[in-house]
Amino acid sequence: MSCVFCKIASKEMKSTVVHETDGLIVIKDINPQAPTHLLVLPKKHYSTILECDDRDLLAEMLLAAKEVAKKAGVDEKGFRLVINTNDEGGQTVFHLHMHLMAGRSLAGRMG
Ligand code: 5GP
Ligand code: ZN
């Protein structure tokens, strides 16, 4: 198993976990692009969102993102959720994950 996010999800590799359920964990991004930069990762490996048809899991990822946004206190000011997919989408880690970014104005910038 060489996938870095599988190792993080199984706790074989260290990360800062801010939220966890049976199906996913939410960690702090190691190279934050905003004051709050979290990653929502399913524990099960899917290379990209294209491989994942699990509606419950996809819904759980969105619900977890809402919950951690509230917990982090960024819900009112606002936040951005992003799933980079494949090369031109900017994906660098090929284990499905969703970014939650907040804490600065992201308005008008998509990249
Ligand atoms: P992508 O470009 O694939 O959408 O995002 C991958 C993200 O994972 C990047 O923001 C990167 O900083 C983060 N990342 C890569 N390796 C690690 C790691 O070992 N630990 C943590 N916490 N984040 C990582
Ligand atoms: Zn993986």
Side-chain angles (χ1 to χ4, degrees):
M1 187 174 74
S2 61
C3 171
V4 63
F5 284 177
C6 281
K7 287 182 178 160
I8 284 174
S10 67
K11 313 275 169 66
E12 190 186 321
M13 214 174 119
K14 259 187 99 171
S15 68
T16 305
V17 178
V18 301
H19 183 76
E20 182 165 10
T21 68
D22 286 349
L24 60 80
I25 63 169
V26 184
I27 62 168
K28 288 191 178 175
D29 196 291
I30 205 168
N31 180 25
Q33 303 299 306
T36 298
H37 189 169
L38 304 174
L39 301 171
V40 181
L41 340 168
K43 290 183 179 174
K44 186 169 173 192
H45 181 91
Y46 297 97
S47 313
T48 78
I49 194 172
L50 298 167
E51 276 74 45
C52 181
D53 292 322
D54 183 338
R55 288 166 180 254
D56 289 340
L57 177 64
L58 293 170
E60 198 186 336
M61 289 174 71
L62 288 168
L63 294 169
K66 287 203 304 181
E67 200 174 321
V68 293
K70 288 182 196 161
K71 208 152 99 176
V74 299
D75 51 322
E76 280 199 16
K77 279 196 169 177
F79 56 93
R80 176 172 289 171
L81 301 176
V82 173
I83 299 177
N84 295 326
T85 304
N86 282 336
D87 294 338
E88 290 196 1
Q91 187 173 4
T92 58
V93 177
F94 283 79
H95 175 125
L96 172 61
H97 57 280
M98 181 165 62
H99 298 255
L100 187 164
M101 281 170 285
R104 66 170 170 85
S105 177
L106 297 157
R109 310 184 209 180
M110 283 303 289

